[in-house]
Each structure stands twice: as structure tokens, then as C-alpha cells.
Amino acid sequence: MEELHIPDLIVLAIPFFIVSLVAEGLIVRKLKREGRPLVGHTVKDTAASLSMGLGNLAINLGWKGIAFAAYVALYQLTPLRLGTGPWAWVLLFFADDFCYYWFHRVHHECRFFWASHVVHHSSEHYNLSTALRQTWTPMTGLPFWLPLALLGFHPVMIVTAQSISLLYQYWIHTEAIGRMGPLEWVLNTPSHHRAHHASNVQYLDKNYGGILIVWDRLFGTFQPEVERPVYGLTKNLHTFHPVQIAFHEYAAILRDLQRPEPLRTRLGRVFHGPGWLPGPERPPDNTAHTLSA
């Protein structure tokens, strides 16, 4: 396999994360004094988000190596080679963003995957620290990027594209930036992502894009920010304990699996949407699917 070495962009960005968090806090405080209806920050919420981010970083020290080995194994198996030139990077940009869209969408629409992703939505605040509130079970994401290795993308390019996408998505977690004009048609922006993080019914399960918003427009999951977002889950946790934030939905799934119900019903509670209920429990207006956030 041809040599290609690119440093870990997430680790290199840590100093920027720290500086930008402080700067955003000062800017949001100023905007609130000017009368802007912003949620802002709290010490406990920010500390919880940073704890989740540090835990994710520690877990990924080992997991990234396993994921990379999987990409290498598939890359060695496939006869396809797309090279490492400029056109390969351009193609990878769109392929990676497409994979992210479906990774993100499935992690909202299937409770098994939602149990991992719910961590990121568990804050009732929306700021740059929320971007760092990451899962401690990143393993659920691997299947969505494996096809890129089979298509002939170099494994180092794949993990680099993933890092670029995560870095892009960091800055859109803020209330301090309003709408961005024509860019709103193509890119995922703070406005689009604020709607994604909201628990308002009209915003649920919308705006899954990573860097681009075009996939949502193509697949019917786009929703512009209209009414003021209410951040968090439809049933909030009311805890700042990192372990509870990380594993509360897995615990809820285990409790549901122990119900005295038919196996089909119990499996439905695991693999249907987060708000799915069996027939007799389903709300009469058939809006059970909106219980995910």
C-alpha cells in the first residue's frame, strides 16, 4: 500500500477549541446584554460537554486504530485504486459527506444507533462546547465508511476526510452566527444545525448533513430554521453526570428488552425509531416517530 502520512487534525485543533470556546462565551454574553434571546452557557453544562469530549478522545486513541485496520484490510482486498491525486480528494469529499448523511440519519431513525448518538443531543444548550459532547461508543459509525475503502480510497484519506468533516461541524454549533445568505443553499450552517439540535416538533429528524446541506434537500429531510429552537431532547436527562449521559439510552434499551412482551415487540423497541411504540401503545395521531430529538 502506498505511503501517505497526514497528522491527526483533531488533536492539532485542541488549542483552537480552547481559544474559540472562551471567545464565543464572551461574544454570547455581550449579545445577551444587548437583548438577543440566546440560551448561552452554564458552567455545569459546559463541563459535562467537555467531559464527554475528553472521554471520546481517550476512547478513540484505541478505537481509531481498529477502525483504520478495517479500512486497510478492505483496501487490500479490493482491486480498485483511486489514487491520491486532486480528483481523488474531490471525489472523496462528496463520498465522505454522503456517507456522513446516512450515518447521521440512521443514528436518528434506529434506536440501536440512536443510543450512541443521543449523547450529542443531550444538552439543553447550544454552543461550541456542545460540538465536543461526543459519544463514548464510536464503534457504531464504522459500517458507514467501510464502502469507501472497498471503492479504492486510501485509508489515510478516509480518516482525514472524516477529521475535516468533524472540524467543519465544530463551528456551526453556535447561536452567535445568524443566517449566511446564499451559502445556506449549499452548506450546513449554524442556522441549519440549530434546527437539527432542536426538540421542536417541526425540527425533529431534519438536517442530517455534515458539510453540505444538499443531501437533505435531495432526500426530503431539510427544514429551515423558522421558530426559535428549543434545544435538547423531547425528554431531557436533567443530569450532568458523564456516565449517565453516555449510557442512559443503552440502559433504557436493556429495560425494554426485559419487558414481558413478544420477542418481535422487544426487537421493535430496539431497531425501530427512538419513539416507536407497539400498536396498543401508539398515540392516536400516529406521531410516535417524533419522539426522537
Side-chain angles (χ1 to χ4, degrees):
M1 185 170 67
E2 62 266 36
E3 292 293 324
L4 187 63
H5 298 287
I6 297 177
D8 190 326
L9 301 180
I10 302 299
V11 173
L12 292 177
I14 290 176
F16 169 73
F17 293 157
I18 297 171
V19 172
S20 61
L21 279 168
V22 174
E24 184 204 31
L26 296 173
I27 292 170
V28 169
R29 182 181 299 179
K30 177 178 181 294
L31 292 174
K32 290 182 72 173
R33 285 198 302 264
E34 294 173 356
R36 289 272 297 274
L38 307 181
V39 176
H41 308 65
T42 67
V43 173
K44 287 185 177 180
D45 181 79
T46 299
S49 293
L50 295 179
S51 296
M52 300 309 300
L54 290 172
N56 174 269
L57 189 65
I59 290 166
N60 269 322
L61 288 176
W63 172 247
K64 281 186 175 181
I66 296 172
F68 185 77
Y71 298 140
V72 170
L74 292 181
Y75 185 74
Q76 298 285 15
L77 287 175
T78 181
L80 301 176
R81 290 292 182 271
L82 294 177
T84 58
W87 284 110
W89 282 101
V90 171
L91 185 59
L92 178 60
F93 169 79
F94 290 101
D96 170 77
D97 208 61
F98 184 75
C99 289
Y100 182 86
Y101 172 86
W102 286 106
F103 150 81
H104 200 181
R105 182 167 179 172
V106 170
H107 275 68
H108 273 258
E109 298 181 357
C110 173
R111 191 183 181 198
F112 174 80
F113 291 99
W114 172 246
S116 173
H117 186 62
V118 67
V119 169
H120 185 59
H121 285 263
S122 60
S123 175
E124 296 178 57
H125 296 256
Y126 189 76
N127 51 62
L128 293 178
S129 75
T130 309
L132 304 178
R133 185 178 286 227
Q134 295 292 327
T135 181
W136 288 3
T137 53
M139 307 80 186
T140 59
L142 178 61
F144 297 89
W145 277 272
L146 290 176
L148 296 184
L150 286 173
L151 289 172
F153 288 107
H154 193 289
V156 173
M157 292 174 63
I158 295 172
V159 297
T160 302
Q162 291 173 330
S163 295
I164 291 171
S165 179
L166 284 175
L167 288 174
Y168 177 90
Q169 292 176 62
Y170 172 74
W171 74 274
I172 63 177
H173 289 81
T174 185
E175 296 180 288
I177 300 175
R179 286 185 170 81
M180 301 181 67
L183 294 178
E184 302 280 334
W185 285 95
V186 179
L187 297 177
N188 193 10
T189 64
S191 177
H192 296 329
H193 209 57
R194 283 193 292 269
H196 175 73
H197 270 260
S199 60
N200 313 53
V201 171
Q202 69 174 321
Y203 295 143
L204 295 179
D205 302 328
K206 301 294 183 182
N207 300 358
Y208 295 122
I211 297 177
L212 303 174
I213 202 67
V214 295
W215 312 118
D216 290 284
R217 294 184 183 277
L218 285 172
F219 296 119
T221 53
F222 175 69
Q223 171 61 49
E225 182 184 26
V226 183
E227 67 180 45
R228 185 171 175 233
V230 177
Y231 304 113
L233 307 173
T234 55
K235 295 181 180 178
N236 286 305
L237 297 181
H238 306 299
T239 181
F240 300 105
H241 195 292
V243 175
Q244 292 180 26
I245 294 172
F247 300 113
H248 73 276
E249 188 65 16
Y250 288 108
I253 288 175
L254 287 176
R255 288 194 296 270
D256 282 344
L257 285 173
Q258 294 170 9
R259 289 171 177 250
E261 298 176 322
L263 178 61
R264 181 175 180 178
T265 299
R266 283 180 285 162
L267 292 177
R269 292 184 184 276
V270 177
F271 295 106
H272 280 291
W276 181 85
L277 296 170
E281 299 181 36
R282 190 169 296 131
D285 61 358
N286 198 30
T287 58
H289 69 282
T290 65
L291 295 178
S292 62

